[in-house]
């Protein structure tokens, strides 16, 4: 079974640009969550999607947005990039069942974004 | 005060030692996760607990729901166990959002 796939793995952007990151969950998983990891801040929750609906949202500005498609693949977008957006962006999928949020987490390798 | 507190923040031990990492939380939870992240590596789920105790190889995780506390133990520690160990809880008080601890950086010296 293929794991969680995140693309691209590495990217460099300049301030003011926008970026779109993609996450393909494990087949059959309907829950996808996104996290930002920086050396000083640890893991910060961005959003969580389940069956194309945003279920939870972290405390990030509106420049950070996301969506989930009918095949459970998810994208996140960051507009008007700032230097502080440089980070590792991690995606996790979960086999969420009828009882909410009871699934184990499976993480992708992450997309490392550098903003110059 | 953070809703999920891990201790210690950093831990250095000799190979073979018994390791304990603690996680305390202040919210009602539906599950608690222990995860591992090696330097420059991805995050791997070790355990998901809602009660009692789980064991996988040299790793043991326990949870006390009444005391809102969980521990991760490593027996016969090895240098390859060197990693950051992260505790996260599914908070019933926050729409089942995952709330993350700051992590414990473990170094096992040969």
């Amino acid at each position: 079974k293929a794991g969680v796939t995140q693309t691209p793995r590495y990217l460099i952007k300049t301030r003011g640009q926008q970026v779109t990151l993609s996450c393909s969950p494990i087949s059959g998983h309907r829950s996808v969550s996104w996290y930002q990891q920086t050396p000083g801040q640890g893991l910060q929750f961005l959003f969580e999607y389940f069956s194309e609906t945003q279920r939870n949202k972290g405390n990030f500005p509106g420049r950070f947005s996301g969506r989930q498609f009918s095949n459970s693949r998810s994208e996140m977008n960051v507009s008007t990039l700032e230097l502080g957006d440089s980070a590792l962006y991690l995606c996790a999928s979960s086999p969420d069942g009828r009882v909410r949020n009871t699934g184990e987490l499976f993480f992708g390798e992450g997309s490392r974004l550098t903003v110059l | 005060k953070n809703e999920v507190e891990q201790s210690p923040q950093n831990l250095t031990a000799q190979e073979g030692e018994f390791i304990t990492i603690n996680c305390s939380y202040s919210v009602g939870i539906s599950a608690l996760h222990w995860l591992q992240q090696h330097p420059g590596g991805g995050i791997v789920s070790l355990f998901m607990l809602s009660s009692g105790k789980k064991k996988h190889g040299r790793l043991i995780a326990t949870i006390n729901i009444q005391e809102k506390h969980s521990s991760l133990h490593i027996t016969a520690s090895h240098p390859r166990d060197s990693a950051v160990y992260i505790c996260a809880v599914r908070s019933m008080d926050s729409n089942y959002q995952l709330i993350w601890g700051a992590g414990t950086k473990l170094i096992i010296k040969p």
Side-chain angles (χ1 to χ4, degrees), chain A residues 54-116:
Chain A
Q54 188 179 85
R55 201 153 62 173
N56 276 308
K57 189 177 190 303
N59 295 323
F60 277 81
R63 300 185 297 107
F64 291 79
S65 62
R67 58 178 174 169
Q68 187 180 32
F69 301 96
S70 58
N71 62 357
S72 293
R73 189 177 72 85
S74 178
E75 287 183 348
M76 66 162 282
N77 183 278
V78 188
S79 62
T80 320
L81 284 166
E82 300 176 0
L83 295 179
D85 297 332
S86 295
L88 180 67
Y89 290 87
L90 290 159
C91 161
S93 77
S94 180
D96 226 15
R98 190 166 54 85
V99 180
R100 193 173 161 176
N101 299 117
T102 56
E104 192 177 348
L105 295 166
F106 296 84
F107 279 83
E109 292 293 316
S111 293
R112 187 166 294 281
L113 170 66
T114 301
V115 182
L116 301 175

Side-chain angles (χ1 to χ4, degrees), chain A residues 45-64:
Chain A
F45 170 71
L46 282 156
F47 352 82
E48 181 181 15
Y49 289 90
F50 180 78
S51 291
E52 301 179 67
T53 301
Q54 188 179 85
R55 201 153 62 173
N56 276 308
K57 189 177 190 303
N59 295 323
F60 277 81
R63 300 185 297 107
F64 291 79

Side-chain angles (χ1 to χ4, degrees), chain A residues 31 33 35 37 43 45 48 55-58 88 90 94 100-105 107-109, chain B residues 30-31 33 35 37 40-48 86 90 94-98 100 102:
Chain A
S31 173
S33 51
Y35 304 88
Q37 187 176 40
L43 270 167
F45 170 71
E48 181 181 15
R55 201 153 62 173
N56 276 308
K57 189 177 190 303
L88 180 67
L90 290 159
S94 180
R100 193 173 161 176
N101 299 117
T102 56
E104 192 177 348
L105 295 166
F107 279 83
E109 292 293 316
Chain B
S30 59
H33 297 259
L35 307 107
Q37 185 174 31
I43 296 177
V44 175
S45 176
L46 298 174
F47 296 102
M48 186 183 68
I86 308 168
R90 280 283 181 192
S94 302
N95 199 30
Y96 294 91
Q97 184 174 314
L98 268 175
W100 297 80

